[in-house]
Structure formats: C-alpha cells, structure tokens
Amino acid sequence: MLVQSIITNGLAVGAVYALIGITYNVMFSASRVFSFTAGSVGMLGGVFGAILIGQMGMPVIVGFLLTLLLGAILGIVIEFVTVRPVLKSLDQHLYVLSTLAAALMIQQLTAIYFSTDAVPFPRVVPIESGFLDQKIWLPILACVGTIVGLEYLFRHTLVGRAFLAISEDNYAARALGLPEQRLRMTSFALAGMIGVLAGFSSGQLMFASLANGPLLNFYGFVPVALGGMGSNRGAVIGGLLLGLFQQTANYFFGGVFSSVAVFVVFIIALLVRPEGLAGAATARRV
Amino acid sequence: MRITRRKALTGSAAAAATIATGIYKPAIANTDPIQIGYLPAFTGPSSSTGIGIGRGTQLAVDEINAAGGIKGRKIELVMRDTQSEPTKAVNAAVELTRRHKVSAIWGPLNSGETAAAIGNIARENVPMVHPCWVDVLIDVKKYPMAFRNAPSNQQIGGAANHYVVNVLKAKKVAVISDTTGYGTASVDAYVPMLKKLNADVVYSGSVDANNPDLKPELLRMQSGGAEAIMPWSVNAGFLARIINTRAELNWDVPIVGQTTLGSGQTKSLLAKPEYWEKVYPNNFRNVCYDANGKLPPQTAEFVERLKKAKVDYSDTLMWWIACGYDGPRLIVEAMREGGTSAADMTAYLNTKVTAWKGIYGTIAFSAENHNGFLDEGVIMAQANSLKDGAFKLAPGYA
C-alpha cells in the first residue's frame, strides 16, 4: 500500500508540477520571459472551479470551459501588463519584478475576495472512487492530454510552427512577416489555459487554496530547470520525477526535510547536467 | 472692623483665585465615560475569531451601561480594528495608550498581534486583559499588568494529552503538526508532556500543511501501532487531509487535538461527513452540551440573553462569544471594586479575583499567576456535534 501510495500520489502531484512547468515554458518560448505568475495562475484554476461549480452551482462542463476562458484572459492580461512593457530591456531582467508583482497582486486579490483558507473543490466526474480516485487520475489525464495536444499543435499546424519560429528566433520570424505580438499574446492565452487546467484538475487533491500559488510557483519551476528551459517533454519528465521523489522523501525523511531533499537533488542534477535532462548543450563562441 | 475698598478688592481677588485654582469645589460627581481600549481583528485572516468575540464584547458593554455603568459613569469602548496585522495592532495600542489615555485594554484578540503590542502597552503601564493562548504572552515580571482570561497552550495540550492517555486509555500516540511556528512549538511542548504521562509516542513529526498526500505519514503511525492521532495545526486543509486519509485507510483511531478540528471549514473539506466521527477537538466545559444535550445553567441563561438581544450565535462559536463577554466584565469589575487607576485595578485583579465565575470559564489570578483560566475548564468535545455554536462533551466526561 505504501509503494502504491507513493507512486500514485507522486505521479498525480508530479503531473501538476509538470503542467505548471509547461505553463512557464509556453510563456517563455514566445517572449524569452520567465513569468513568475505561473503558480498563481495554477492556483486560480482551483479557485475558479470552486466558485463556478461549487458555489454558483454551474454544470461541471460549463464551469470547466469558463475556467479555461478565464485562464486565457488572465494570460493575455499578464502579457499586456507585465511582459510587454519590459521586453525592450530583457537584459535588465525587469520581468522578474513585474511578473512577481503581478503574482503578488493575484495572491492578495484572491485573499481579499475569495478566502485565505482552503475551500472544497467539487467532484468533477460523478463516479464513486474505485481503485484509483479521480483526484489522482484527473491531473495525470490533464497532463497527458496537454502534452499530446501541444505536440500536435507544434508539429502538425501552421500556428504551432509559427510559435516554434518565434521561439527559435523572433527577429528572423518578424523579418519573414510573422505577427510576433499577436502570436505572443496567443501563447500567453494558451499558457493561462494550461495553468488553470493544472489547478482545476488537481482541485480535489490540493483543494482550492491560496497557499497553492507560491507552492506551485516554486515546485513548478523545478521541472523547467530540470527538463531544460523551453522543453515541454523535459518538463513532463522532470515534473513526474519530482513528484515521485518528493513523495518518497516525505516518507523516508519526513515533511520538514523532504523539501530540503528535493532541492539537494535538484542542485546536484543541475551541476551534472546544467542544460537540463532534455536540453541540448549549446556551444559558446570564445 | 472697617472695610476699606482696598480690603474688599483683596478679599474678592483671593476668593476668585480660590475658586479658579480649585481649592473650593462644589460636590459634583464626575460623569465622563470611562474609556476602555479594544483591539479586535474585524478584517483579515483572523477576523472570524474577532467577529465572534466582538459580539460578546458588545453585549457585555451594552448590559453594563444599561445597568448604570461604573458609579454613574458609562463605559466607552475605543475600538481599533487591527486588521489581523501585528504592525497595525502596535500602532493602535500606542494610539489608545498615549493619545486616548484609556484606562485599560481588552485585547488584542490574536496571539501574533498581542505578541507585537504587549510590550508597548506594558511600557505605558496600562492594565490589559487578553484571551491569547501563546504561553509567553503572560509574564508577571515583564508584563505585570497583563492578565489572560483564557487557557494557555500548555493547558490546551495538557487537556488533550489527559484525554488521550487517561480517558481513552491510549498508550501509543502519534503527534503531528504542520511546519508553522505554532505547529512545531506544539509538538516540541506536548511530546515531553505525553511522555511524562507514560505514553509511548510512536510518531512525532511536522509536515508541510500543503502536502496533498499524508498517507505515508499515517502509514508510519499505523505501523507504529498508534492508538490515537494528535494533530496540532490551525490549517483546516491539513486537518481535513488527516481525517480523510484515516478514512481511506479504514482506520478508526481517534483524532484528538486543536479546536480547528471542529470548525465548519474542516467539515467542508471532508470527503464524506461521516469521516468526522471520532474526532475530538479542544473546547471548554462551560460552553458544551452534556450527555443530555443541555448547557450548564448559567450558559443556558446567557443564551437566552443572546436571543433577547438578537445576537446571532448560529454562524460562530459559543466560546468566542462567551470569551468576548467575560473580558470587559472582568475589567469593569476591577474598576468598580478596586478603582479606575492602573495600580488599583492591578491590585484588585491580583488579590480579589480568586474564583471569578465567567460564562467562558472560572478565573483565578494571583500576584504570581496571571494565567487565570482553570485547568478543569478545558475539555475535549465531539467535532460532529456542533449545534448553535456549541459542541457536546467528548465521551468519557461526566
């Protein structure tokens, strides 16, 4: 039972981290900006679901679609308010301040208008819990669905290829006539949807809670660094490994030391492979 | 004697000076209101406590003033909302003591705010009564005018430990907390207390409150043979996860601990309402239903007064209202019987309050002990018995 618990919960939590990692990546690919709002957007996925379905009594499918829509709007707002104004001076890393400030504002507004305590998240699928409860398989399903969808988008659609072109070299892409600004906004909307999907699918596992914001911001960044910046496959592998390792460390070292154990392994992994597990080493002209 | 104009003028001037300097005074009683500073948190994360306590406080002051106040002088609460922020509590305490020169202070009502403000209040030599549980917030040497009308954390933990070891007869105990200061300090304090009661602590640890999976922790407790789980946290999500996980493991071991175990917030996060069985949070004897579903007579009479005054108690906790009702009454009694100066009030509380019957509990102070709440007032209750803000006593209490 212990091994089963570590594996199932580790994969579920890891899938949430992976989704937040993908949110970071999708924002980063289009703008070269690490938006530290990813965790707060994830937190809002749970909050939106709890309000729309749990408190307002909307049907699950309507609540889910509205949550995705709100996530997309939120992503566009983040791009417009925190990213666009600082793009001209990327080398000064002002985006760290602007995106952290936006994350702080999201947290404060949620505390004021929602709750500082955890709030229950409704059952999404009306079935009794069997061998695996939906709180475990929903985030895993969401993660698998997202990575398959993104692979399809990037490999088989024109818009996806335009995204890739922007992320490879946005000057060249602009020179070819690609609408860089619109594509960036679209990618932030997509990132917002993936972020709220993480919070919505894990609502039963993590509750709708303000505290999930900083937690997801923090642990969601680890798979990005582990998997290689911009690599969604790397983020999924990194996220799942992180979840499994964290749950194992929880059991063997206890809750206080598990975070320490996670970050020790994280630092060692980065020392061994600074480019990340799925990243490619880049040559530097000297 | 011949009265010259010079003598008449001199006499008149002397008489005028006498009246002006106050040597001569007509016997008119002072009717100015007596100001009591009041520092609740009506907004912010600690506001649910502040609102509950506030209802009792307002009722007490209304009743005191309706009965004529203190020797004809009304009580005026000078209230400042601390907004659940220690810095605001400090600013408010300074304002009340320096600018308003209040005679005494009721509050702050949360430990974090009291910890921040108590030094300022002590420096101004203003007597204060607060209901905060953190042990160090009462120290007769550092804060000789601070009194507590509620239990300390030692008493809260002591009551839970007593219930687990002596009433439930559990010898193997698991103690768990979140990683907050309160949580880890509780584990550090309560585990040695349990060992003194000859309990075998088979698990003790602190876990991140946001960790979604507590099964490994509970499996460790189970494999250690734990006969009771004692969680110490004010985080409803964390407590609900412990209760949910116990049910998922088909384990019916009792859960005994912090008052938040019995909160509506915790209940709302349970996967099924029946998971709340065999969960026993701390509570207080005076505000609990007995086995027959009856409140103690003085509390029942208090509830009637709440109804008459249209004070809503269905959406809060009875012990918060009772605690809020007792605080200002204790201060007013010290003013009425001892005097309104700080020294008189403190002397009265130190020497005359030896078995003060409050609604919340019986209070006994001495010059050496300003922790007034008696141990026997702290008990455990049945979490799933909440009705009209009060709980039923846990099984095993007479």
Side-chain angles (χ1 to χ4, degrees):
Chain A
M1 186 182 278
L2 174 67
V3 176
Q4 182 205 328
S5 168
I6 289 174
I7 292 173
T8 54
N9 279 284
L11 289 176
V13 174
V16 182
Y17 296 156
L19 282 170
I20 297 297
I22 294 171
T23 307
Y24 270 115
N25 272 341
V26 173
M27 290 180 177
F28 175 77
S29 299
S31 62
R32 300 284 126 186
V33 161
F34 267 114
S35 173
F36 293 101
T37 52
S40 301
V41 174
M43 176 273 293
L44 282 180
V47 170
F48 291 154
I51 292 173
L52 297 172
I53 303 168
Q55 295 176 5
M56 294 170 73
M58 285 185 188
V60 171
I61 188 68
V62 177
F64 175 61
L65 292 174
L66 262 178
T67 299
L68 290 182
L69 178 67
L70 289 170
I73 294 169
L74 188 66
I76 292 169
V77 171
I78 288 169
E79 192 276 334
F80 194 75
V81 176
T82 69
V83 175
R84 198 174 294 187
V86 298
L87 274 180
K88 281 183 188 151
S89 46
L90 265 183
D91 53 329
Q92 291 172 29
H93 305 294
L94 288 177
Y95 63 84
V96 175
L97 274 181
S98 63
T99 57
L100 276 176
L104 197 65
M105 278 175 67
I106 293 172
Q107 292 291 122
Q108 290 293 327
L109 291 172
T110 309
I112 293 167
Y113 293 108
F114 180 64
S115 173
T116 49
D117 289 319
V119 167
F121 195 91
R123 297 284 285 178
V124 173
V125 188
I127 54 168
E128 280 296 305
S129 51
F131 167 68
L132 263 190
D133 191 69
Q134 55 186 284
K135 73 178 181 185
I136 300 293
W137 59 256
L138 265 174
I140 299 172
L141 182 69
C143 184
V144 171
T146 302
I147 194 71
V148 169
L150 285 178
E151 287 289 319
Y152 179 81
L153 178 76
F154 290 141
R155 287 173 189 276
H156 301 286
T157 69
L158 201 59
V159 176
R161 287 185 180 137
F163 278 141
L164 288 180
I166 291 280
S167 67
E168 287 284 320
D169 187 337
N170 72 4
Y171 291 107
R174 258 188 298 177
L176 287 170
L178 285 175
E180 186 233 2
Q181 190 164 296
R182 255 190 294 156
L183 282 169
R184 196 174 59 238
M185 273 177 66
T186 312
S187 76
F188 268 76
L190 181 65
M193 289 165 76
I194 296 168
V196 293
L197 177 65
F200 188 95
S201 62
S202 64
Q204 292 171 74
L205 184 69
M206 303 176 79
F207 302 132
S209 171
L210 181 72
N212 290 341
L215 178 106
L216 293 177
N217 245 352
F218 208 54
Y219 285 112
F221 189 75
V222 176
V224 177
L226 274 180
M229 291 177 194
S231 164
N232 290 331
R233 287 182 208 172
V236 171
I237 294 166
L240 295 178
L241 285 178
L242 172 65
L244 286 170
F245 182 74
Q246 191 184 31
Q247 294 308 309
T248 311
N250 256 340
Y251 182 76
F252 288 105
F253 304 114
V256 175
F257 297 106
S258 71
S259 342
V260 179
V262 165
F263 281 96
V264 166
V265 171
F266 171 58
I267 290 164
I268 292 170
L270 284 186
L271 285 173
V272 175
R273 273 188 74 89
E275 68 278 11
L277 300 174
T282 49
R284 189 162 63 94
R285 195 186 292 272
V286 289
Chain B
M1 188 178 71
R2 212 180 93 188
I3 298 172
T4 62
R5 193 169 57 177
R6 180 174 291 175
K7 276 182 182 169
L9 279 173
T10 311
S12 303
T18 307
I19 291 166
T21 52
I23 295 170
Y24 167 80
K25 255 187 185 171
I28 298 170
N30 185 356
T31 55
D32 291 344
I34 297 172
Q35 292 190 323
I36 296 177
Y38 174 37
L39 296 171
F42 281 152
T43 50
S46 305
S47 58
S48 50
T49 318
I51 290 166
I53 292 179
R55 291 181 190 169
T57 298
Q58 195 55 54
L59 178 67
V61 172
D62 290 347
E63 285 184 358
I64 290 163
N65 285 337
I70 300 174
K71 295 171 185 163
R73 294 176 71 185
K74 300 274 187 203
I75 294 299
E76 184 189 330
L77 279 181
V78 186
M79 192 274 282
R80 292 291 177 272
D81 180 4
T82 61
Q83 300 173 33
S84 310
E85 287 185 27
T87 48
K88 296 216 163 93
V90 171
N91 293 341
V94 170
E95 186 200 343
L96 293 181
T97 52
R98 292 192 184 170
R99 191 194 300 171
H100 292 274
K101 307 266 183 214
V102 295
S103 301
I105 288 185
W106 165 227
L109 306 179
N110 297 294
S111 294
E113 292 149 46
T114 301
I118 192 168
N120 295 75
I121 299 171
R123 272 194 292 280
E124 298 298 325
N125 288 321
V126 176
M128 71 184 290
V129 175
H130 71 72
C132 306
W133 295 359
V134 169
D135 296 320
V136 294
L137 295 178
I138 285 298
D139 184 328
V140 289
K141 288 201 173 75
K142 279 165 82 178
Y143 320 120
M145 292 187 178
F147 296 82
R148 171 153 46 205
N149 76 323
S152 64
N153 270 338
Q154 286 285 317
Q155 291 173 289
I156 290 289
N161 290 347
H162 165 77
Y163 185 71
V164 165
V165 177
N166 299 325
V167 179
L168 295 179
K169 307 285 182 203
K171 293 296 173 201
K172 292 186 171 183
V173 184
V175 185
I176 184 169
S177 77
D178 59 26
T179 48
T180 60
Y182 168 74
T184 51
S186 298
V187 171
D188 290 346
Y190 301 158
V191 167
M193 287 163 69
L194 276 166
K195 287 179 178 166
K196 270 191 188 164
L197 293 172
N198 294 321
D200 181 8
V201 180
V202 294
Y203 171 98
S204 75
S206 301
V207 181
D208 184 347
N210 296 311
N211 184 347
D213 181 28
L214 294 176
K215 205 175 269 179
E217 308 298 329
L218 268 80
L219 284 169
R220 290 166 82 183
M221 296 175 193
Q222 201 175 33
S223 65
E227 294 159 359
I229 302 173
M230 302 186 72
W232 295 104
S233 167
V234 293
N235 186 311
F238 177 71
L239 296 171
R241 282 192 184 103
I242 291 174
I243 301 171
N244 284 337
T245 308
R246 177 188 66 163
E248 284 165 20
L249 294 174
N250 289 319
W251 198 20
D252 71 342
V253 68
I255 297 176
V256 182
Q258 225 272 348
T259 50
T260 311
L261 281 168
S263 74
Q265 206 85 39
T266 304
K267 182 187 176 189
S268 72
L269 295 169
L270 298 181
K272 291 179 182 172
E274 57 265 33
Y275 290 176
W276 228 13
E277 287 284 337
K278 292 184 83 171
V279 175
Y280 306 118
N282 276 116
N283 215 276
F284 309 96
R285 186 178 282 278
N286 274 14
V287 287
C288 278
Y289 301 109
D290 63 16
N292 301 318
K294 296 243 188 300
L295 288 168
Q298 66 165 359
T299 313
E301 189 267 331
F302 175 65
V303 170
E304 288 307 313
R305 271 187 287 143
L306 289 175
K307 285 181 189 165
K308 208 172 149 190
K310 295 191 169 55
V311 176
D312 189 5
Y313 54 90
S314 61
D315 63 342
T316 184
L317 294 173
M318 187 62 70
W319 68 267
W320 284 343
I321 299 182
C323 177
Y325 185 73
D326 284 355
R329 285 171 62 236
L330 193 55
I331 292 171
V332 166
E333 180 172 314
M335 287 177 169
R336 184 185 290 129
E337 305 299 328
T340 51
S341 76
D344 289 344
M345 263 187 275
T346 308
Y348 182 84
L349 290 168
N350 274 338
T351 55
K352 305 291 182 192
V353 176
T354 51
W356 189 82
K357 298 276 182 206
I359 301 295
Y360 180 38
T362 301
I363 303 290
F365 294 127
S366 70
E368 296 78 33
N369 179 27
H370 289 186
N371 282 308
F373 207 87
L374 299 188
D375 286 349
E376 51 265 34
V378 191
I379 47 79
M380 309 311 291
Q382 291 182 48
N384 60 357
S385 64
L386 181 64
K387 193 182 96 184
D388 290 336
F391 294 88
K392 215 175 189 177
L393 289 169
Y397 286 106

